[in-house]
Amino acid sequence: MSERIEKMFTQEEIEKRVDELAQQISRDYAGKEIRMVGILKGAVFFMCDLAKRITVPVSIDFMQASSYGSATESTGTVRIRKDLDHSIENRDVIIVEDIVDSGRTLAFLGEFLKSKGAHSIRYCTLLDKPDRRVVDLKADYAGFEVPDEFVVGYGMDYDEKYRNLPYIGILHFDEDK
Ligand code: IMP
Ligand code: MG
């Protein structure tokens, strides 16, 4: 089997959309400060680009959760592998994710952060796969809707590969002849 990537969003398309999301968030949070919580590791590339374009004060923290092993299917249970470094009490929190699939990870982390006393919590994801949702989770900010395909690049991986691609594409597995 060899892996092939079919381009879906170019670097330029991603930059343009991230810029639009940043403008929208900057308007919505005018006069406030944002605590961004990025979900390791996939959201890192998106979060850096987004944070740089937001015009209100932003502080950052990270969490890591796992629901995927190295396969392309979710196991259904979410575990916290890395907790916050800083208190989010009374903070306006935006959870930043690379992609929402079943919605389990974000729903779980959202409930977890609510229990930590955040003033508000919103969800921001670069990609949204609405067809795959199994829990009731709607992102407040979403970059692009994508079909039910496995995508890689711009932070997203397959078995830790492809995160550093500047574009996003569908991963295909071709039979070797
Ligand atoms: P959920 O909990 O099912 O919504 O899964 C979300 C997590 O699964 C994301 O943070 C990604 O790490 C991973 N994931 C879901 N779909 C894809 C994909 O198409 N490519 C890469 N990672 C994915
Ligand atoms: Mg992830």
Side-chain angles (χ1 to χ4, degrees):
M1 297 278 257
S2 54
E3 294 164 15
R4 175 174 56 89
I5 295 165
E6 178 193 348
K7 283 197 181 166
M8 194 174 214
F9 301 112
T10 65
Q11 198 172 349
E12 292 71 29
E13 287 168 328
I14 297 167
E15 276 169 17
K16 183 167 173 283
R17 191 65 189 119
V18 172
D19 209 41
E20 289 168 0
L21 289 173
Q23 286 179 32
Q24 194 186 343
I25 291 170
S26 301
R27 278 197 301 273
D28 292 353
Y29 286 80
K32 297 182 183 169
E33 291 181 19
I34 299 169
R35 171 65 53 84
M36 277 191 172
V37 175
I39 309 307
L40 296 171
K41 296 176 257 189
V44 165
F45 292 67
F46 171 45
M47 179 157 139
C48 291
D49 286 347
L50 185 68
K52 282 186 283 184
R53 291 173 164 91
I54 289 177
T55 54
V56 303
V58 174
S59 56
I60 65 170
D61 205 341
F62 293 99
M63 288 192 75
Q64 186 162 25
S66 62
S67 65
Y68 272 68
S70 62
T72 57
E73 284 296 319
S74 168
T75 58
T77 45
V78 181
R79 281 176 314 168
I80 293 176
R81 295 169 74 180
K82 187 215 165 292
D83 202 342
L84 296 171
D85 290 328
H86 306 284
S87 163
I88 52 161
E89 220 174 312
N90 295 323
R91 295 280 177 171
D92 292 306
V93 173
I94 301 181
I95 306 179
V96 181
E97 181 57 301
D98 48 0
I99 181 163
V100 184
D101 186 42
S102 71
R104 287 191 186 102
T105 306
L106 269 195
F108 178 85
L109 293 177
E111 288 309 311
F112 179 80
L113 295 188
K114 272 179 208 161
S115 77
K116 299 274 183 186
H119 176 252
S120 68
I121 293 179
R122 285 187 180 171
Y123 303 103
C124 177
T125 185
L126 180 64
L127 302 185
D128 191 3
K129 271 189 204 172
D131 296 345
R132 297 263 303 172
R133 207 70 97 248
V134 300
V135 299
D136 184 22
L137 191 288
K138 204 184 166 311
D140 300 283
Y141 305 99
F144 303 100
E145 273 195 13
V146 293
D148 182 8
E149 301 271 10
F150 196 80
V151 295
V152 295
Y154 196 66
M156 288 168 288
D157 73 308
Y158 171 67
D159 217 2
E160 296 300 326
K161 280 186 294 186
Y162 306 123
R163 292 194 197 277
N164 63 318
L165 297 179
Y167 55 87
I168 293 168
I170 300 172
L171 181 63
H172 295 284
F173 297 92
D174 295 334
E175 295 286 346
D176 290 323
K177 303 213 177 67

